[in-house]
Amino acid sequence: MELSPLTPLKQSGDVLFLMLGAVMVFAMHAGFAFLEVGSVRKKSQVNAFVKILTDWSVSTVVYFLIGFPLAYGISFLKPADQLMQGAMGYDLVHYFFLLCFAACIPAIISGGIAERAKFWPQVIAGAIFAGLCYPLFESLIWGKNAALLQGVFKSIGGLEFHDYAGSVVVHSIGGWIALPAVILLGARKGRYQHGKSHPLPISNIPFLALGSWILAVGWFGFNVMSAGNLEKISGLVAVNSLMAMVGGVLAALVAGRNDPGFVHNGALAGLIAVCAGSDLMHPLGALVTGAIAAVIFVYGFQFEQEKLKIDDVLGVWPLHGVIGTWGGIAAGIFGQKIFGGMGNVSFVSQLAGSLTAVLFAVASGLVVYGALAKTVGIRMHEEDEYNGPDLAIHKIGAYPEDHIR
């Protein structure tokens, strides 16, 4: 069959489209870094930056060699000229784009375990999650093995599980994996004393806000570019992402009583929740979805910290785990035509898929962190934790001139 003269132009356009999306999502990892740096104490800022960059780099290698082939059955262990055969190397840039999703898993976990986790055991854990655990679940929802699990959801709810841009596949998985890690690590020294909560101060609200803004801007690459090519781009996805973000900000502003941490995380809560159904919902449905997500985060964070006494530094379990689950379920509600959505989505399938992810993630977190805790250990020595991971691990603080005598 003879190709159209426009085919090379279309193929190169799709490669450029997806590459720009990959770069936007890659930039979100700077957002993860600044969000964590602003939320920890000064003695842990350098560690946050180095952790995120190291996890990104390790994820790049393991997802290239193991994760992407596991999820999609495409291997890059062949000569470069063969990698470029057909579609202008689209598979390569597709790997880059989806790597940015996989690398979110250790980045999410990093915020929960901050200030007291050993460095190298966490690097190992991140490699396992980005190279094995996450790609396995990815393959069952989006990849080469999707027919297996999606067939189960279809038999239960009448339709397959729908997760357009990863509320469940990315965020829920990352947040629920983090929960066992945070619990096994235990609270930071001084966080809870004699059964009472003693919140530890954060170091830098402008950095926290900068992290939120970087993430929010990059999120439009996360959601919109999930179309995969120019033909499928959707203005509905873009506006739904915007509305969910704004809904999260406004709801957090009220529920969090003007607290800047809640406001900036409220934006992220809305964006996390809308990922799954951003191609289905009416913009007003997305607004409500984001608002509910922010309320879940505000009260969920307080419940986690004060009632359950779980020292999840950035609140990644309620923010990514619980709200990611809400996003999967919300797609089954506000994606329905009765709420102005596109339809062709099953609430039962969405509920089943969202809960399946919870079970998979918690089991993965327990196995990996349980094994590391029993072998190499996952918590810093008490003296190192007191001095802070910046000096204990990296031998330099965030503000070196402060140490000049």
Side-chain angles (χ1 to χ4, degrees), residues 229-254:
N229 56 58
L230 281 168
E231 288 182 347
K232 297 179 181 178
I233 192 169
S234 167
L236 183 64
V237 173
V239 172
N240 280 345
S241 302
L242 175 65
M243 296 297 278
M245 173 195 165
V246 170
V249 170
L250 297 177
L253 184 68
V254 176

Side-chain angles (χ1 to χ4, degrees), residues 132-377:
L132 291 173
C133 298
Y134 170 79
L136 176 58
F137 192 78
E138 181 184 18
S139 76
L140 294 169
I141 303 298
W142 292 337
K144 66 177 184 178
N145 298 314
L148 299 175
L149 190 55
Q150 290 286 21
V152 174
F153 297 141
K154 189 173 183 178
S155 67
I156 294 172
L159 292 168
E160 293 184 351
F161 173 70
H162 185 88
D163 189 2
Y164 184 74
S167 289
V168 174
V169 176
V170 180
H171 296 283
S172 175
I173 291 291
W176 284 98
I177 284 177
L179 180 61
V182 172
I183 293 173
L184 288 171
L185 271 172
R188 291 168 291 173
K189 297 295 182 182
R191 178 64 181 86
Y192 302 103
Q193 299 178 18
H194 309 295
K196 294 184 178 180
S197 173
H198 294 273
L200 300 176
I202 66 176
S203 62
N204 196 310
I205 290 176
F207 274 0
L208 184 157
L210 176 62
S212 175
W213 273 106
I214 294 172
L215 283 163
V217 172
W219 223 292
F220 289 87
F222 198 98
N223 283 3
V224 177
M225 267 69 164
S226 284
N229 56 58
L230 281 168
E231 288 182 347
K232 297 179 181 178
I233 192 169
S234 167
L236 183 64
V237 173
V239 172
N240 280 345
S241 302
L242 175 65
M243 296 297 278
M245 173 195 165
V246 170
V249 170
L250 297 177
L253 184 68
V254 176
R257 300 181 180 181
N258 296 331
D259 181 278
F262 283 136
V263 170
H264 286 91
N265 277 287
L268 306 183
L271 287 162
I272 289 166
V274 82
C275 287
S278 56
D279 63 327
L280 298 176
M281 298 177 183
H282 186 278
L284 293 178
L287 182 75
V288 174
T289 296
I292 293 173
V295 173
I296 291 172
F297 176 68
V298 170
Y299 292 106
F301 182 80
Q302 293 172 344
F303 180 76
E304 176 192 37
Q305 300 282 328
E306 306 304 326
K307 299 297 183 182
L308 299 180
K309 292 184 170 55
I310 296 175
D311 187 19
D312 175 359
V313 181
L314 270 67
V316 300
W317 172 47
L319 181 61
H320 295 273
V322 177
I323 291 173
T325 301
W326 158 242
I329 296 170
I333 299 172
F334 293 103
Q336 303 287 349
K337 289 191 174 183
I338 191 173
F339 292 110
M342 299 287 288
N344 198 36
V345 63
S346 164
F347 174 79
V348 173
S349 296
Q350 293 305 115
L351 179 62
S354 300
L355 295 180
T356 299
V358 171
L359 295 175
F360 177 86
V362 171
S364 298
L366 283 172
V367 169
V368 173
Y369 284 109
L372 289 170
K374 293 291 186 181
T375 52
V376 296

Side-chain angles (χ1 to χ4, degrees), residues 11 15 76 83-95:
Q11 291 175 340
V15 169
F76 300 120
L83 296 179
M84 284 298 293
Q85 287 179 357
M88 306 295 185
Y90 181 86
D91 286 340
L92 287 168
V93 78
H94 193 208
Y95 147 77

Side-chain angles (χ1 to χ4, degrees), residues 24-42 44-57 100 103-112 114-115 202-216 219 265 268 313-314 316 319-320 390 398-399:
M24 290 180 71
V25 186
F26 175 34
M28 290 174 67
H29 290 265
F32 280 119
F34 276 101
L35 191 71
E36 182 173 337
V37 168
S39 301
V40 297
R41 291 168 288 182
K42 285 184 178 180
S44 302
Q45 290 183 328
V46 171
N47 182 244
F49 278 128
V50 176
K51 272 193 305 177
I52 298 294
L53 186 56
T54 302
D55 284 337
W56 164 265
S57 301
C100 298
C104 286
I105 304 301
I108 290 168
I109 297 167
S110 177
E115 301 208 80
I202 66 176
S203 62
N204 196 310
I205 290 176
F207 274 0
L208 184 157
L210 176 62
S212 175
W213 273 106
I214 294 172
L215 283 163
W219 223 292
N265 277 287
L268 306 183
V313 181
L314 270 67
V316 300
L319 181 61
H320 295 273
D390 289 3
Y399 307 92

